[in-house]
Amino acid sequence: VQRYVAAVDQGTTSTRCILFDASGRLVSVAQAEHAQHYPRPGWVEHDAEEIWRNVTRVVPEALAQAGAAPAQVAAIGIANQRETTVVWDRATGRPVGHAVVWQDTRTSGLVQTLAGDEGPDRFRDRCGLPLAPYFAGPRLTWLLDHTKGLRARAERGEVLFGTMETWLVWNLTGGPDGGVHVTDVTNASRTMLMGIDSLQWDDTLLDAMGVPRAMLPEIRSSSEVYGEATTVLPGTPIAAALGDQQAALFGQTCFAPGEAKCTYGTGSFLLLNTGTETVRSSHGLLTTVGYKLGDEPAHYALEGSIAVTGSLVQWFRDGLGLISSAPEIETLARTVEDNGGCYIVPAFAGLFAPHWRSEARGVIVGLTSYVTKGHLARAVLEAVAWQTREVVDAMDADSGLRLTSLRVDGGMTADHLLMQTLADVLDVPVVRPMVRETVSLGAAYAAGLAVGYWPDLEGLRRNWHRAGQWLPEMDPERRAQEYDNWSRAVARTLDWVRPGSPEDGD
Amino acid sequence: MTKTVQSVERAAAVLRLLGGGQGHLGCVEVANSLGLAKGTAHGLLRTLQHVGFVEQDAAGRYLLGPALGELGDVRVDPNVLRSAALNWTDALAARSGAVVRLGVLDAGEVLVATHCFRPGDPARTLDVGTHRPAHACALGKVLLAYSAGAAATVLARPLTSYTRRTCTDRRGLAQALDGVRRTGWAVETEELAMGTAGIAAPVRAPGGLTVAAVGIAGDLDQLCESTRAPRAHLLALVADTARAITRELAAA
């Protein structure tokens, strides 16, 4: 009888269940979207109960599609949207309010207060992260501060905190009736509440953020049996959980120090495996746990996010109206040989890693009457590539690990001109795997390892197949020249928003 | 004379009316001019708008659409096709264990729009953007079978021989294309290179026009039985993939 591993990918807009077979091939997919709630400007919320209901729907649907019986599922692995925060009542299982989503910026004032005179790097040594509205811990502080009576209930252990994987594991294992309250170490590394070296909740951080220990889940590895499901797939071990970007790193089989992946979506996330030692960044990159398999030492990663990539193409389509669908940008760009001297730096909301200049704004430079929309299309694709190069250079400088190839996934990998440009500017091969669903695959792999469905990492590496590859073709002199041009374009974005002006978010 | 289709005649009348140089027209004006019920006129206009023959201005009035000027051009942007097909072409490579390509017609040849490596293949380079002879590969035979114009062009010029099995005989090729139309798929056995084979099926745009062909290529004995017929499970995978991409295009 064929056996499978089920991956539940609890994402920002939808929840999916994918079944994988022993060769790591996708067997079936079921998906359900959930509502996005925007109660105020800058606020983004999800209904955690709706998400749980979607899990109870998509898992049986994926099995039905494959014609599989529940007993054929060897294990369940979870990958989840990171930093989204939910608090619920231990006795009833009801959330005390909507989950606060990672995109939500309500904590921007709070993190500035927390930073105080020491600045955003106040806790970086301890937790690997700068103070930013992005992370879960301050979000929990905000909820405790703004929900009447919540902190007292938390201290009495009546309410529980979790990120989405915690919420799902608790519900899968019985909820109010004996639910297992755990978080995986990759998700915990995004809270600012865990010591990045100790991998335990850190009292200094808990005190600083006013979080009662009694409401926190137990921190466990990314790959071990947390418990057996009592519902949805009763008796099936729940054997893995990882944050979605870490799951993609694992699904791309980046198991060795120096191996890296970049997921190209609306924004893009580059993660570099730095091995079992933490690397503190001096370029504003994040130090995070990549994965931890059972009792083995944790593997760490450096993470750099590129805010404007797919959204730059969307702007080109919707804001400028120069194309009618995103893939057409390649067609338009190929009507010309090069960028015609034109560079676009999409600092739409300031510059992020490695520059961190919030007052910068986007520029198009090098305009002459020669420049056509084809050159602009080239400049858009090159902007995605050069932004990646800047993050790769920062990682190299922080870690001393020189990238030998970049594994890519996400929708933009269909753009061959972009992939070739990426190989050209990075001067390393760019490789696309055959299974595009690397997030779900990573969760499945971690779960399958924990229950012996796959024997070891080498077995997983053998499952990894290239679907495409792009080799650097650019002349080194031209690369240096173009990088210099890009850097000079970046310099022209700086100091645009005047301090104290309405646009000045600080 | 065969009975004519009234709705096509009415649609033609709508187009003639809009092309009559009286400026942009509202739905009621179209209905009154042609003596149609308003609902009928609205249905015709909406359908013509859907296929791009009619468009609406900012005030909601109708005028002739851009697709009318491009009637001779049935090409879909290969980059749009690749993006829409990516999930399915990857899955086909993983399941078939063979090289996957998706091709479109370009001046009587096959232009490769998508290429996925065979699992475990140490291949180095993608051949996206290269051309392959239409009469000597499965992708090309599918594309020619469903494009009378391109088939006429190819059949009018000498057919290059690549192996002793390449079909260089015009009547033979025309018969092969008949066969493709009958079965809905094409196979190529040692017609481009000795020891290799290909299987392909059509990808259609809404309305039925074949805009691309998707297929697998590999060793002859991997893809075909000893009778040179394609292995049934591989043929089914290729046909399923073509249908899935067709559905994806309809949903886009």
Side-chain angles (χ1 to χ4, degrees), chain A residues 257-259 272 389 392-393 395-396 399-405 426 428:
Chain A
E259 292 183 330
L272 170 78
R389 168 71 189 259
V392 167
D393 282 1
M395 288 188 172
D396 182 2
S399 69
L401 292 164
R402 192 166 284 281
L403 195 70
T404 53
S405 76
L426 296 178
V428 297

Side-chain angles (χ1 to χ4, degrees), chain A residues 25-28 325 327-332 334 410-411 413-417 432-437 465-471, chain B residues 77-84 86-87 89-91 93-96 113-126 128:
Chain A
R25 293 182 302 193
L26 189 153
V27 176
S28 65
S325 71
E328 286 169 37
I329 195 161
E330 179 172 359
T331 315
L332 184 56
R334 284 191 191 273
T413 60
D415 192 314
H416 282 219
L417 182 58
R432 185 173 78 78
M434 200 156 278
V435 174
R436 196 158 84 140
E437 306 293 349
H465 296 295
R466 291 176 313 158
Q469 170 171 286
W470 295 267
L471 302 175
Chain B
D77 186 328
N79 295 317
V80 173
L81 269 176
R82 182 192 318 120
S83 187
L86 192 64
N87 268 343
T89 46
D90 279 3
R95 285 183 195 167
S96 67
T114 294
H115 174 198
C116 300
F117 294 154
R118 173 173 64 81
D121 189 355
R124 309 131 308 266
T125 51
L126 292 163
V128 169

Side-chain angles (χ1 to χ4, degrees), chain A residues 196-251:
Chain A
I196 191 71
D197 295 298
S198 69
L199 304 181
Q200 295 300 325
W201 300 124
D202 184 296
D203 283 326
T204 307
L205 296 169
L206 297 186
D207 288 349
M209 289 181 219
V211 171
R213 193 178 265 273
M215 74 186 309
L216 297 179
E218 185 189 345
I219 299 175
R220 302 277 284 270
S221 81
S222 330
S223 174
E224 65 176 82
V225 177
Y226 308 126
E228 284 186 359
T230 58
T231 174
V232 185
L233 286 177
T236 308
I238 301 155
L242 300 110
D244 50 13
Q245 294 305 324
Q246 282 92 339
L249 185 76
F250 203 70

Side-chain angles (χ1 to χ4, degrees), chain B residues 150-163:
Chain B
T153 309
V154 169
L155 286 166
R157 33 188 213 214
L159 299 171
T160 309
S161 173
Y162 296 92
T163 71

Side-chain angles (χ1 to χ4, degrees), chain B residues 16-25 33:
Chain B
R16 289 212 171 91
L17 183 71
L18 292 175
Q22 299 168 45
H24 306 181
L25 298 178
S33 302

Side-chain angles (χ1 to χ4, degrees), chain A residues 30-33 50 52-62 232:
Chain A
Q31 171 169 346
E33 298 198 352
E50 180 188 6
W52 165 242
R53 280 196 303 275
N54 285 348
V55 169
T56 65
R57 267 177 45 207
V58 295
V59 174
E61 249 178 68
V232 185

